[in-house]
Amino acid sequence: MDLKDEASIAMLPAESRAPMPHLAIDIGGSLIKLVYYSRDGDWLPEDNKIWSSKESLGVSNGEGNHPLSEGRLHFAKFETSKINDCIEFIRSKQLHVGGQHHEVPSKNKIIIKATGGGAFKFTDLFKEKLGIVLDKEDEMDCLVAGVNFLLKAVQREAFFYMDGQKQFVQIDHKDLYPYLLVNIGSGVSMIKVDGDGKFERVSGTSVGGGTFWGLGRLLTKCQSFDELLELSHVGNNRVIDMLVGDIYGGTDYAKIGLSSTNIASSFGKAISVDKELEDYQPEDISRSLLRMISNNIGQIAYLNALRYGLKRIFFGGFFIRGHAYTMDTISVAVHYWSKGEAQAMFLRHEGFLGALGAFASYERHGFDDLTAHQLAQLCPRRESCSEGTLHSAPHCDVIKEKKTL
Amino acid sequence: MDLKDEASIAMLPAESRAPMPHLAIDIGGSLIKLVYYSRDGDWLPEDNKIWSSKESLGVSNGEGNHPLSEGRLHFAKFETSKINDCIEFIRSKQLHVGGQHHEVPSKNKIIIKATGGGAFKFTDLFKEKLGIVLDKEDEMDCLVAGVNFLLKAVQREAFFYMDGQKQFVQIDHKDLYPYLLVNIGSGVSMIKVDGDGKFERVSGTSVGGGTFWGLGRLLTKCQSFDELLELSHVGNNRVIDMLVGDIYGGTDYAKIGLSSTNIASSFGKAISVDKELEDYQPEDISRSLLRMISNNIGQIAYLNALRYGLKRIFFGGFFIRGHAYTMDTISVAVHYWSKGEAQAMFLRHEGFLGALGAFASYERHGFDDLTAHQLAQLCPRRESCSEGTLHSAPHCDVIKEKKTL
């Protein structure tokens, strides 16, 4: 199994807490995200073939590897267009029946928490193929619940990204709200969060991850989102973007604070009649696309944070994938447009916010409080957070992350 | 000569006013814009060949055709990549020497007002080829001066665009400021204007006209910006954009105010592995691109207008070209994001703002006041504005527009 394909968070002993639900699912426009629970040793992978087919879609949500003995939250994803692979994966692991390899009596409906637009679109398919009922949870509710859960319960979840380095911050529960959540999926939602379950979707943009991969597919021969993303590492956007210096003959436009290397027009050099699509390198196209989209999201996010007086902006969603250049561009955009007054923050489990929120909704009105509070009481003396601590009330390291085999 | 290639504003008799300068030039990243003055009968076109080579780049800045007898301001444009055509045009019409077909003694330097980044980049070229010195005027200064001039001196200059109709508005000079000017060239500048010469570039985006044409060239076989723009008329962006309904199985996401037809992800359907670039129609690609870019500009403009408490937003720049779908998308975007509280306004001479400002700078600190005031006094009883008048102090119709042969 490709290490990148699955990640997990080890949980404290199941006996010490409320019974765990087993599976929640977030079906977006491009990707399906699963969160499921297992005790250690349960459900070893049975279907490498399915995993292998997904290996191009990497999950890179942190480097931690701290196994605890009793159970884990696992994370997995599939392309929405290959939903049948996802259904086969669920069936092969019997996730929909709690990992028990026996049939559930037909009179007992199996109900699985699901969110994202696909929870509506694919209701019939899940019923038909797996005999399960998708219990639909609102997408924004789940996103917010997922982020609040992570920020409260997971140490080293949030970080700044600067000069190629992550700087983790621990956020005081009492000083968490309000914040702006920018979830970059196929499209982008911007949500002002004022508390648990208290939020408003204040803005968004259609220029998101689907735009990067959609335009990228049309412009390059890349076969996967991750291939396109990787290419951007070695690309040079200046080949395609029109810089201020290109217009000004190499000089700055200093009077209004534009340096010669600022991008004046994304893809503006491609207006040249001397070059056709095949004359451009895919890595340069990828880098230009990534920079255009990340910068645009950072700019709109900052303007909305400013509008509502929000000092923290968290960026999440599967578009980011822990990708250095993406985070760097977003960070620079927020810094640039705010003239250094705001900073972008990122989340290690960025891609599974909605799925985690759906998982949490099994015990809505109690799950995340339960988790954070119960576990905080169980391990009050664990080491406190020392890296990049912003506030003076670190809580214990209740949940650790581990990549599974 | 293609009617679309040149436009003019007829001027009152030159004898009644200060001596007119003859040529000003705005050299942007993609286009060069010329504004020049002639008395009627001067400088009939001598070089149709050059004009013909430009016929694909249309100027559509109004339908008026009100010739006056004494003189005209002419407007022309060239692609920056074909700057030698522009230089040949200037030479053939002797614009740089005031239309006089004789050589200027070499000791007398000919100075031409120029703005845009190319005024810096091509200084040596103009000196070498035409023996003229480009007197550089700041780009933002010129944009603002051009808009202020037009709004003060030209009747039926500003309009709303709604339901396929232009609704002209006449703006009281005393109630003109502040406003947000959004100039969409290769890139986009957003300028808060507080008075004559009082302004600040507060924002911008690199996703502008150069992005539309650059990406459009790479994605289609279109040979010109205007061909690409025309195609968008008959395109269907739903083939390529991922709509809310595509994610939600045809239903709205009503809870947060998203209808099934809202675009969730621009180009989001192009992630499908079933289709390659050649399987998409260029008209659909054009429409999706145009909508993505126009909507994005409208959104960022509105957020900036809100930030600075500006009730008026004027959109100009050569990207718009009086194109119905572009104006419609920008208008809808501003309406949507402002929840109906703001409205986009457009300018008939949108493409020549900087060039007009450079022209006006020959008599900076007096030109536009001179023009407006002198001419207002000359024709105090001309019919006042009746269509869409917002304020009660219409001024006379001092300058009329006419397309030249």
Side-chain angles (χ1 to χ4, degrees), chain A residues 121 139 217 246 248 272, chain B residues 121 139 217 246 248 272:
Chain A
K121 184 174 181 176
E139 186 176 341
R217 265 198 82 252
D246 293 325
Y248 273 77
S272 163
Chain B
K121 184 174 182 177
E139 186 175 343
R217 265 197 82 249
D246 293 324
Y248 272 77
S272 163

Side-chain angles (χ1 to χ4, degrees), chain A residues 27-30 79 81-82 116-122 138-141 185-189 199-215 217-221 223 240 242 245-251 253 255-256 258 263-278 280 285 289 292 295-296 299-300 302-304 306-308 336-337 339, chain B residues 27-30 79 81-82 116-122 138-141 185-189 199-215 217-221 223 240 242 245-251 253 255-256 258 263-278 280 285 289 292 295-296 299-300 302-304 306-308 336-337 339:
Chain A
I27 312 176
S30 307
E79 290 176 40
S81 61
K82 297 177 181 169
F120 296 82
K121 184 174 181 176
F122 297 113
D138 177 75
E139 186 176 341
M140 300 297 138
D141 278 341
S186 302
V188 183
S189 283
F199 63 87
E200 180 187 0
R201 184 186 189 274
V202 293
S203 195
T205 167
S206 69
V207 187
T211 312
F212 177 66
W213 178 216
L215 275 173
R217 265 198 82 252
L218 297 182
L219 292 166
T220 72
K221 302 291 183 194
Q223 295 299 306
I240 301 179
M242 185 186 285
D246 293 325
I247 301 175
Y248 273 77
T251 63
Y253 184 4
K255 183 176 174 182
I256 57 171
L258 293 177
I263 299 174
S265 176
S266 293
F267 286 87
K269 275 208 191 101
I271 66 172
S272 163
V273 294
D274 300 331
K275 279 184 161 185
E276 303 302 325
L277 177 55
E278 50 273 21
Y280 291 97
I285 290 174
L289 259 185
M292 175 179 88
N295 185 55
N296 195 63
Q299 180 179 14
I300 295 174
Y302 166 67
L303 286 167
N304 276 288
L306 190 71
R307 176 179 184 181
Y308 294 103
Y336 176 83
W337 291 109
K339 296 179 178 167
Chain B
I27 312 177
S30 307
E79 290 176 40
S81 61
K82 298 177 181 167
F120 296 82
K121 184 174 182 177
F122 297 112
D138 177 75
E139 186 175 343
M140 300 296 139
D141 278 341
S186 302
V188 183
S189 282
F199 64 87
E200 180 187 1
R201 185 185 189 274
V202 292
S203 195
T205 166
S206 69
V207 187
T211 313
F212 177 66
W213 179 214
L215 276 173
R217 265 197 82 249
L218 298 182
L219 292 166
T220 73
K221 302 291 183 193
Q223 294 299 306
I240 301 178
M242 185 186 284
D246 293 324
I247 301 174
Y248 272 77
T251 63
Y253 184 5
K255 184 177 173 183
I256 58 172
L258 293 176
I263 299 173
S265 176
S266 293
F267 286 87
K269 275 208 190 103
I271 67 171
S272 163
V273 293
D274 300 331
K275 279 184 160 185
E276 303 302 325
L277 178 56
E278 51 272 21
Y280 292 98
I285 289 173
L289 260 184
M292 175 179 87
N295 186 55
N296 194 62
Q299 180 180 15
I300 294 174
Y302 166 67
L303 286 168
N304 277 288
L306 190 72
R307 175 179 183 181
Y308 294 102
Y336 176 84
W337 291 109
K339 297 179 178 167

Side-chain angles (χ1 to χ4, degrees), chain A residues 294-396:
Chain A
S294 301
N295 185 55
N296 195 63
I297 293 170
Q299 180 179 14
I300 295 174
Y302 166 67
L303 286 167
N304 276 288
L306 190 71
R307 176 179 184 181
Y308 294 103
L310 308 173
K311 61 181 179 176
R312 288 203 188 99
I313 313 175
F314 294 105
F315 291 84
F318 234 121
F319 171 69
I320 301 174
R321 303 184 187 208
H323 186 258
Y325 192 63
T326 306
M327 293 191 292
D328 191 58
T329 306
I330 290 174
S331 296
V332 167
V334 170
H335 183 86
Y336 176 83
W337 291 109
S338 72
K339 296 179 178 167
E341 290 184 5
Q343 249 186 310
M345 298 177 78
F346 302 92
L347 301 165
R348 280 168 75 201
H349 297 90
E350 64 205 2
F352 294 93
L353 306 178
L356 268 169
F359 195 86
S361 73
Y362 280 106
E363 303 188 30
R364 180 79 73 199
H365 314 300
F367 176 87
D368 47 12
D369 283 349
L370 174 82
T371 308
H373 294 168
Q374 277 193 343
L375 300 184
Q377 288 173 3
L378 283 169
C379 51
R381 281 192 295 270
R382 291 187 66 121
E383 66 185 58
S384 63
C385 315
S386 57
E387 286 176 74
T389 299
L390 278 186
H391 303 287
S392 56
H395 59 268
C396 73

Side-chain angles (χ1 to χ4, degrees), chain A residues 87 102 104 135 192 281 337:
Chain A
I87 286 172
H102 56 74
V104 174
D135 186 15
K192 179 167 78 82
Q281 298 302 314
W337 291 109

